[in-house]
mmCIF file of all heavy atoms in Angstrom:
data_model
loop_
_atom_site.group_PDB
_atom_site.id
_atom_site.type_symbol
_atom_site.label_atom_id
_atom_site.label_comp_id
_atom_site.label_asym_id
_atom_site.label_seq_id
_atom_site.Cartn_x
_atom_site.Cartn_y
_atom_site.Cartn_z
ATOM 1 N N ILE A 1 0.831 -1.200 0.000
ATOM 2 C CA ILE A 1 0.000 0.000 0.000
ATOM 3 C C ILE A 1 0.868 1.254 0.000
ATOM 4 O O ILE A 1 0.558 2.247 -0.671
ATOM 5 C CB ILE A 1 -0.984 -0.035 1.189
ATOM 6 C CG1 ILE A 1 -2.064 -1.094 0.904
ATOM 7 C CG2 ILE A 1 -1.621 1.333 1.438
ATOM 8 C CD1 ILE A 1 -3.029 -1.345 2.031
ATOM 9 N N GLN A 2 1.999 1.205 0.691
ATOM 10 C CA GLN A 2 2.935 2.330 0.641
ATOM 11 C C GLN A 2 3.494 2.504 -0.773
ATOM 12 O O GLN A 2 3.619 3.633 -1.275
ATOM 13 C CB GLN A 2 4.074 2.106 1.635
ATOM 14 C CG GLN A 2 3.650 2.195 3.091
ATOM 15 C CD GLN A 2 4.800 1.873 4.038
ATOM 16 O OE1 GLN A 2 5.865 1.414 3.630
ATOM 17 N NE2 GLN A 2 4.580 2.110 5.319
ATOM 18 N N GLU A 3 3.823 1.381 -1.420
ATOM 19 C CA GLU A 3 4.343 1.448 -2.793
ATOM 20 C C GLU A 3 3.282 1.967 -3.760
ATOM 21 O O GLU A 3 3.579 2.746 -4.663
ATOM 22 C CB GLU A 3 4.820 0.058 -3.233
ATOM 23 C CG GLU A 3 6.052 -0.439 -2.504
ATOM 24 C CD GLU A 3 7.263 0.426 -2.795
ATOM 25 O OE1 GLU A 3 7.597 0.616 -3.976
ATOM 26 O OE2 GLU A 3 7.880 0.928 -1.827
ATOM 27 N N ILE A 4 2.048 1.523 -3.566
ATOM 28 C CA ILE A 4 0.962 1.980 -4.428
ATOM 29 C C ILE A 4 0.752 3.480 -4.264
ATOM 30 O O ILE A 4 0.542 4.204 -5.241
ATOM 31 C CB ILE A 4 -0.325 1.194 -4.122
ATOM 32 C CG1 ILE A 4 -0.160 -0.263 -4.591
ATOM 33 C CG2 ILE A 4 -1.540 1.834 -4.777
ATOM 34 C CD1 ILE A 4 -1.228 -1.202 -4.087
ATOM 35 N N ALA A 5 0.835 3.959 -3.026
ATOM 36 C CA ALA A 5 0.700 5.396 -2.779
ATOM 37 C C ALA A 5 1.780 6.167 -3.528
ATOM 38 O O ALA A 5 1.530 7.256 -4.072
ATOM 39 C CB ALA A 5 0.778 5.680 -1.282
ATOM 40 N N THR A 6 2.975 5.619 -3.588
ATOM 41 C CA THR A 6 4.071 6.263 -4.317
ATOM 42 C C THR A 6 3.790 6.277 -5.818
ATOM 43 O O THR A 6 4.042 7.279 -6.502
ATOM 44 C CB THR A 6 5.396 5.533 -4.042
ATOM 45 O OG1 THR A 6 5.668 5.575 -2.640
ATOM 46 C CG2 THR A 6 6.547 6.177 -4.802
ATOM 47 N N VAL A 7 3.267 5.168 -6.329
ATOM 48 C CA VAL A 7 2.924 5.089 -7.752
ATOM 49 C C VAL A 7 1.874 6.142 -8.110
ATOM 50 O O VAL A 7 1.967 6.820 -9.134
ATOM 51 C CB VAL A 7 2.408 3.678 -8.111
ATOM 52 C CG1 VAL A 7 1.799 3.661 -9.509
ATOM 53 C CG2 VAL A 7 3.530 2.652 -8.019
ATOM 54 N N LEU A 8 0.891 6.297 -7.241
ATOM 55 C CA LEU A 8 -0.204 7.227 -7.518
ATOM 56 C C LEU A 8 0.239 8.677 -7.408
ATOM 57 O O LEU A 8 -0.348 9.556 -8.042
ATOM 58 C CB LEU A 8 -1.366 6.979 -6.550
ATOM 59 C CG LEU A 8 -2.012 5.593 -6.603
ATOM 60 C CD1 LEU A 8 -3.123 5.505 -5.571
ATOM 61 C CD2 LEU A 8 -2.559 5.292 -7.983
ATOM 62 N N SER A 9 1.259 8.932 -6.588
ATOM 63 C CA SER A 9 1.762 10.277 -6.288
ATOM 64 C C SER A 9 0.634 11.147 -5.753
ATOM 65 O O SER A 9 -0.231 10.683 -5.028
ATOM 66 C CB SER A 9 2.441 10.887 -7.515
ATOM 67 O OG SER A 9 1.501 11.138 -8.542
ATOM 68 N N ARG A 10 0.591 12.408 -6.124
ATOM 69 C CA ARG A 10 -0.372 13.330 -5.515
ATOM 70 C C ARG A 10 -1.777 13.225 -6.087
ATOM 71 O O ARG A 10 -2.753 13.277 -5.363
ATOM 72 C CB ARG A 10 0.118 14.778 -5.655
ATOM 73 C CG ARG A 10 1.342 15.101 -4.822
ATOM 74 C CD ARG A 10 1.670 16.575 -4.948
ATOM 75 N NE ARG A 10 2.826 16.942 -4.128
ATOM 76 C CZ ARG A 10 3.317 18.170 -4.051
ATOM 77 N NH1 ARG A 10 2.728 19.144 -4.738
ATOM 78 N NH2 ARG A 10 4.363 18.435 -3.300
ATOM 79 N N ASP A 11 -1.891 13.137 -7.409
ATOM 80 C CA ASP A 11 -3.201 13.274 -8.022
ATOM 81 C C ASP A 11 -3.796 11.987 -8.558
ATOM 82 O O ASP A 11 -4.876 11.996 -9.136
ATOM 83 C CB ASP A 11 -3.158 14.309 -9.152
ATOM 84 C CG ASP A 11 -1.993 14.075 -10.106
ATOM 85 O OD1 ASP A 11 -1.231 13.129 -9.874
ATOM 86 O OD2 ASP A 11 -1.859 14.848 -11.069
ATOM 87 N N GLY A 12 -3.135 10.859 -8.388
ATOM 88 C CA GLY A 12 -3.693 9.594 -8.816
ATOM 89 C C GLY A 12 -4.531 8.959 -7.723
ATOM 90 O O GLY A 12 -4.231 9.115 -6.541
ATOM 91 N N LYS A 13 -5.586 8.259 -8.110
ATOM 92 C CA LYS A 13 -6.448 7.567 -7.161
ATOM 93 C C LYS A 13 -6.858 6.214 -7.740
ATOM 94 O O LYS A 13 -6.892 6.019 -8.954
ATOM 95 C CB LYS A 13 -7.698 8.389 -6.859
ATOM 96 C CG LYS A 13 -7.446 9.686 -6.085
ATOM 97 C CD LYS A 13 -7.066 9.425 -4.637
ATOM 98 C CE LYS A 13 -6.906 10.724 -3.860
ATOM 99 N NZ LYS A 13 -6.526 10.471 -2.443
ATOM 100 N N ILE A 14 -7.194 5.292 -6.842
ATOM 101 C CA ILE A 14 -7.708 3.998 -7.261
ATOM 102 C C ILE A 14 -9.214 4.121 -7.473
ATOM 103 O O ILE A 14 -9.967 4.341 -6.532
ATOM 104 C CB ILE A 14 -7.412 2.903 -6.214
ATOM 105 C CG1 ILE A 14 -5.902 2.724 -6.023
ATOM 106 C CG2 ILE A 14 -8.079 1.582 -6.620
ATOM 107 C CD1 ILE A 14 -5.169 2.179 -7.225
ATOM 108 N N LYS A 15 -9.629 3.974 -8.706
ATOM 109 C CA LYS A 15 -11.058 4.015 -9.038
ATOM 110 C C LYS A 15 -11.696 2.634 -8.895
ATOM 111 O O LYS A 15 -12.878 2.514 -8.564
ATOM 112 C CB LYS A 15 -11.222 4.515 -10.471
ATOM 113 C CG LYS A 15 -12.631 4.464 -11.017
ATOM 114 C CD LYS A 15 -13.509 5.531 -10.434
ATOM 115 C CE LYS A 15 -14.857 5.575 -11.173
ATOM 116 N NZ LYS A 15 -15.723 6.651 -10.672
ATOM 117 N N VAL A 16 -10.890 1.584 -9.145
ATOM 118 C CA VAL A 16 -11.418 0.221 -9.157
ATOM 119 C C VAL A 16 -10.475 -0.701 -8.394
ATOM 120 O O VAL A 16 -9.265 -0.695 -8.641
ATOM 121 C CB VAL A 16 -11.562 -0.315 -10.603
ATOM 122 C CG1 VAL A 16 -12.289 -1.652 -10.600
ATOM 123 C CG2 VAL A 16 -12.265 0.683 -11.496
ATOM 124 N N LEU A 17 -11.035 -1.486 -7.491
ATOM 125 C CA LEU A 17 -10.293 -2.550 -6.822
ATOM 126 C C LEU A 17 -10.977 -3.872 -7.165
ATOM 127 O O LEU A 17 -12.162 -4.065 -6.865
ATOM 128 C CB LEU A 17 -10.291 -2.346 -5.305
ATOM 129 C CG LEU A 17 -9.769 -3.527 -4.458
ATOM 130 C CD1 LEU A 17 -8.321 -3.856 -4.798
ATOM 131 C CD2 LEU A 17 -9.915 -3.235 -2.971
ATOM 132 N N VAL A 18 -10.241 -4.757 -7.822
ATOM 133 C CA VAL A 18 -10.762 -6.077 -8.185
ATOM 134 C C VAL A 18 -10.028 -7.125 -7.360
ATOM 135 O O VAL A 18 -8.802 -7.245 -7.450
ATOM 136 C CB VAL A 18 -10.583 -6.358 -9.687
ATOM 137 C CG1 VAL A 18 -11.078 -7.764 -10.022
ATOM 138 C CG2 VAL A 18 -11.320 -5.323 -10.528
ATOM 139 N N HIS A 19 -10.789 -7.863 -6.556
ATOM 140 C CA HIS A 19 -10.222 -8.917 -5.707
ATOM 141 C C HIS A 19 -10.393 -10.250 -6.428
ATOM 142 O O HIS A 19 -11.502 -10.743 -6.607
ATOM 143 C CB HIS A 19 -10.953 -8.931 -4.365
ATOM 144 C CG HIS A 19 -10.416 -9.916 -3.376
ATOM 145 N ND1 HIS A 19 -10.676 -11.270 -3.458
ATOM 146 C CD2 HIS A 19 -9.634 -9.753 -2.268
ATOM 147 C CE1 HIS A 19 -10.087 -11.887 -2.445
ATOM 148 N NE2 HIS A 19 -9.449 -10.986 -1.718
ATOM 149 N N SER A 20 -9.281 -10.834 -6.857
ATOM 150 C CA SER A 20 -9.314 -12.095 -7.606
ATOM 151 C C SER A 20 -8.309 -13.085 -7.023
ATOM 152 O O SER A 20 -7.680 -13.852 -7.753
ATOM 153 C CB SER A 20 -8.998 -11.831 -9.087
ATOM 154 O OG SER A 20 -9.104 -13.013 -9.846
ATOM 155 N N ILE A 21 -8.158 -13.060 -5.706
ATOM 156 C CA ILE A 21 -7.199 -13.937 -5.045
ATOM 157 C C ILE A 21 -7.786 -15.340 -4.923
ATOM 158 O O ILE A 21 -8.886 -15.517 -4.398
ATOM 159 C CB ILE A 21 -6.819 -13.389 -3.659
ATOM 160 C CG1 ILE A 21 -6.079 -12.052 -3.818
ATOM 161 C CG2 ILE A 21 -5.963 -14.385 -2.890
ATOM 162 C CD1 ILE A 21 -5.795 -11.338 -2.507
ATOM 163 N N ALA A 22 -7.051 -16.321 -5.409
ATOM 164 C CA ALA A 22 -7.468 -17.724 -5.328
ATOM 165 C C ALA A 22 -6.375 -18.500 -4.605
ATOM 166 O O ALA A 22 -5.421 -18.971 -5.222
ATOM 167 C CB ALA A 22 -7.713 -18.295 -6.715
ATOM 168 N N LYS A 23 -6.513 -18.575 -3.302
ATOM 169 C CA LYS A 23 -5.525 -19.268 -2.495
ATOM 170 C C LYS A 23 -6.248 -19.983 -1.362
ATOM 171 O O LYS A 23 -6.885 -19.346 -0.531
ATOM 172 C CB LYS A 23 -4.503 -18.276 -1.911
ATOM 173 C CG LYS A 23 -3.455 -18.920 -1.011
ATOM 174 C CD LYS A 23 -2.500 -17.871 -0.459
ATOM 175 C CE LYS A 23 -1.455 -18.500 0.450
ATOM 176 N NZ LYS A 23 -0.523 -17.481 1.002
ATOM 177 N N GLY A 24 -6.200 -21.300 -1.375
ATOM 178 C CA GLY A 24 -6.917 -22.025 -0.337
ATOM 179 C C GLY A 24 -6.678 -23.519 -0.412
ATOM 180 O O GLY A 24 -5.924 -24.002 -1.272
ATOM 181 N N ASN A 25 -7.337 -24.223 0.473
ATOM 182 C CA ASN A 25 -7.166 -25.678 0.555
ATOM 183 C C ASN A 25 -8.352 -26.399 -0.051
ATOM 184 O O ASN A 25 -9.506 -26.100 0.267
ATOM 185 C CB ASN A 25 -7.003 -26.093 2.018
ATOM 186 C CG ASN A 25 -5.622 -25.754 2.553
ATOM 187 O OD1 ASN A 25 -4.621 -26.252 2.056
ATOM 188 N ND2 ASN A 25 -5.571 -24.891 3.544
ATOM 189 N N LEU A 26 -8.039 -27.330 -0.940
ATOM 190 C CA LEU A 26 -9.057 -28.144 -1.602
ATOM 191 C C LEU A 26 -8.922 -29.572 -1.093
ATOM 192 O O LEU A 26 -8.415 -30.464 -1.774
ATOM 193 C CB LEU A 26 -8.881 -28.069 -3.115
ATOM 194 C CG LEU A 26 -9.153 -26.694 -3.730
ATOM 195 C CD1 LEU A 26 -8.573 -26.597 -5.131
ATOM 196 C CD2 LEU A 26 -10.647 -26.404 -3.744
ATOM 197 N N LYS A 27 -9.366 -29.771 0.132
ATOM 198 C CA LYS A 27 -9.289 -31.085 0.781
ATOM 199 C C LYS A 27 -10.700 -31.568 1.105
ATOM 200 O O LYS A 27 -11.608 -30.766 1.317
ATOM 201 C CB LYS A 27 -8.481 -30.988 2.074
ATOM 202 C CG LYS A 27 -7.030 -30.577 1.906
ATOM 203 C CD LYS A 27 -6.358 -30.466 3.267
ATOM 204 C CE LYS A 27 -4.924 -29.990 3.154
ATOM 205 N NZ LYS A 27 -4.300 -29.816 4.493
ATOM 206 N N PRO A 28 -10.880 -32.881 1.181
ATOM 207 C CA PRO A 28 -12.196 -33.404 1.562
ATOM 208 C C PRO A 28 -12.411 -33.303 3.065
ATOM 209 O O PRO A 28 -11.466 -33.099 3.833
ATOM 210 C CB PRO A 28 -12.111 -34.865 1.127
ATOM 211 C CG PRO A 28 -10.663 -35.213 1.293
ATOM 212 C CD PRO A 28 -9.907 -33.952 0.907
ATOM 213 N N MET A 29 -13.661 -33.451 3.482
ATOM 214 C CA MET A 29 -13.972 -33.504 4.907
ATOM 215 C C MET A 29 -13.850 -34.923 5.458
ATOM 216 O O MET A 29 -13.733 -35.110 6.668
ATOM 217 C CB MET A 29 -15.379 -32.962 5.156
ATOM 218 C CG MET A 29 -15.508 -31.467 4.931
ATOM 219 S SD MET A 29 -17.173 -30.890 5.350
ATOM 220 C CE MET A 29 -16.892 -29.109 5.326
ATOM 221 N N ARG A 30 -13.879 -35.889 4.547
ATOM 222 C CA ARG A 30 -13.753 -37.282 4.966
ATOM 223 C C ARG A 30 -13.072 -38.069 3.862
ATOM 224 O O ARG A 30 -13.417 -37.941 2.685
ATOM 225 C CB ARG A 30 -15.133 -37.876 5.259
ATOM 226 C CG ARG A 30 -15.118 -39.311 5.733
ATOM 227 C CD ARG A 30 -16.519 -39.769 6.139
ATOM 228 N NE ARG A 30 -16.553 -41.183 6.455
ATOM 229 C CZ ARG A 30 -16.162 -41.709 7.617
ATOM 230 N NH1 ARG A 30 -15.713 -40.907 8.574
ATOM 231 N NH2 ARG A 30 -16.228 -43.000 7.843
ATOM 232 N N SER A 31 -12.069 -38.857 4.216
ATOM 233 C CA SER A 31 -11.342 -39.656 3.224
ATOM 234 C C SER A 31 -10.533 -40.732 3.923
ATOM 235 O O SER A 31 -10.027 -40.522 5.035
ATOM 236 C CB SER A 31 -10.410 -38.763 2.398
ATOM 237 O OG SER A 31 -9.626 -39.534 1.516
ATOM 238 N N GLY A 32 -10.408 -41.846 3.252
ATOM 239 C CA GLY A 32 -9.570 -42.916 3.778
ATOM 240 C C GLY A 32 -8.149 -42.839 3.271
ATOM 241 O O GLY A 32 -7.278 -43.562 3.773
ATOM 242 N N SER A 33 -7.891 -41.973 2.289
ATOM 243 C CA SER A 33 -6.558 -41.913 1.679
ATOM 244 C C SER A 33 -5.968 -40.511 1.619
ATOM 245 O O SER A 33 -4.752 -40.365 1.484
ATOM 246 C CB SER A 33 -6.619 -42.491 0.263
ATOM 247 O OG SER A 33 -7.554 -41.771 -0.527
ATOM 248 N N GLU A 34 -6.783 -39.477 1.706
ATOM 249 C CA GLU A 34 -6.296 -38.105 1.589
ATOM 250 C C GLU A 34 -6.340 -37.403 2.943
ATOM 251 O O GLU A 34 -7.098 -37.791 3.839
ATOM 252 C CB GLU A 34 -7.178 -37.312 0.615
ATOM 253 C CG GLU A 34 -7.211 -37.848 -0.787
ATOM 254 C CD GLU A 34 -8.172 -37.031 -1.652
ATOM 255 O OE1 GLU A 34 -7.802 -35.897 -2.011
ATOM 256 O OE2 GLU A 34 -9.280 -37.509 -1.938
ATOM 257 N N LYS A 35 -5.518 -36.358 3.060
ATOM 258 C CA LYS A 35 -5.605 -35.503 4.242
ATOM 259 C C LYS A 35 -6.934 -34.763 4.218
ATOM 260 O O LYS A 35 -7.391 -34.328 3.161
ATOM 261 C CB LYS A 35 -4.448 -34.503 4.269
ATOM 262 C CG LYS A 35 -3.096 -35.134 4.539
ATOM 263 C CD LYS A 35 -2.023 -34.060 4.638
ATOM 264 C CE LYS A 35 -0.668 -34.672 4.959
ATOM 265 N NZ LYS A 35 0.399 -33.634 5.055
ATOM 266 N N ILE A 36 -7.562 -34.652 5.375
ATOM 267 C CA ILE A 36 -8.861 -33.988 5.426
ATOM 268 C C ILE A 36 -8.731 -32.574 5.989
ATOM 269 O O ILE A 36 -7.706 -32.207 6.571
ATOM 270 C CB ILE A 36 -9.873 -34.805 6.249
ATOM 271 C CG1 ILE A 36 -9.419 -34.930 7.712
ATOM 272 C CG2 ILE A 36 -10.079 -36.176 5.636
ATOM 273 C CD1 ILE A 36 -10.467 -35.563 8.615
ATOM 274 N N LEU A 37 -9.771 -31.792 5.800
ATOM 275 C CA LEU A 37 -9.768 -30.402 6.237
ATOM 276 C C LEU A 37 -9.624 -30.286 7.743
ATOM 277 O O LEU A 37 -10.286 -30.992 8.507
ATOM 278 C CB LEU A 37 -11.056 -29.708 5.805
ATOM 279 C CG LEU A 37 -11.161 -29.272 4.351
ATOM 280 C CD1 LEU A 37 -12.588 -28.843 4.040
ATOM 281 C CD2 LEU A 37 -10.184 -28.146 4.046
ATOM 282 N N GLU A 38 -8.748 -29.382 8.152
ATOM 283 C CA GLU A 38 -8.578 -29.042 9.560
ATOM 284 C C GLU A 38 -8.957 -27.572 9.746
ATOM 285 O O GLU A 38 -9.105 -26.822 8.771
ATOM 286 C CB GLU A 38 -7.124 -29.271 9.989
ATOM 287 C CG GLU A 38 -6.597 -30.669 9.756
ATOM 288 C CD GLU A 38 -7.203 -31.702 10.694
ATOM 289 O OE1 GLU A 38 -7.874 -31.296 11.675
ATOM 290 O OE2 GLU A 38 -7.010 -32.909 10.444
ATOM 291 N N ALA A 39 -9.063 -27.163 10.986
ATOM 292 C CA ALA A 39 -9.437 -25.775 11.278
ATOM 293 C C ALA A 39 -8.453 -24.796 10.635
ATOM 294 O O ALA A 39 -8.863 -23.745 10.115
ATOM 295 C CB ALA A 39 -9.489 -25.552 12.788
ATOM 296 N N ALA A 40 -7.165 -25.135 10.637
ATOM 297 C CA ALA A 40 -6.156 -24.246 10.052
ATOM 298 C C ALA A 40 -6.373 -24.061 8.551
ATOM 299 O O ALA A 40 -6.094 -22.985 8.002
ATOM 300 C CB ALA A 40 -4.756 -24.799 10.310
ATOM 301 N N ASP A 41 -6.887 -25.103 7.885
ATOM 302 C CA ASP A 41 -7.170 -24.990 6.453
ATOM 303 C C ASP A 41 -8.291 -23.985 6.193
ATOM 304 O O ASP A 41 -8.234 -23.198 5.242
ATOM 305 C CB ASP A 41 -7.565 -26.357 5.887
ATOM 306 C CG ASP A 41 -6.455 -27.382 5.995
ATOM 307 O OD1 ASP A 41 -5.301 -27.032 5.699
ATOM 308 O OD2 ASP A 41 -6.750 -28.523 6.364
#
């Protein structure tokens, strides 16, 4: 955010913020062979 503020300088502003973060765990809740979801996941 500090770097973005520098990029924008004085008169630039963010008109659009698009959140497209895809980071997570794709585990089952029950399985005999795979790791299952835990609270940390």
Side-chain angles (χ1 to χ4, degrees):
I1 288 174
Q2 291 176 350
E3 292 296 305
I4 291 168
T6 300
V7 169
L8 299 179
S9 67
R10 291 185 178 180
D11 49 359
K13 292 289 184 180
I14 298 294
K15 173 74 171 183
V16 188
L17 169 61
V18 177
H19 183 283
S20 184
I21 295 173
K23 178 181 180 180
N25 285 299
L26 293 163
K27 297 178 183 177
M29 290 184 168
R30 181 174 174 80
S31 175
S33 58
E34 299 177 74
K35 290 184 178 180
I36 63 172
L37 282 169
E38 304 289 348
D41 297 316

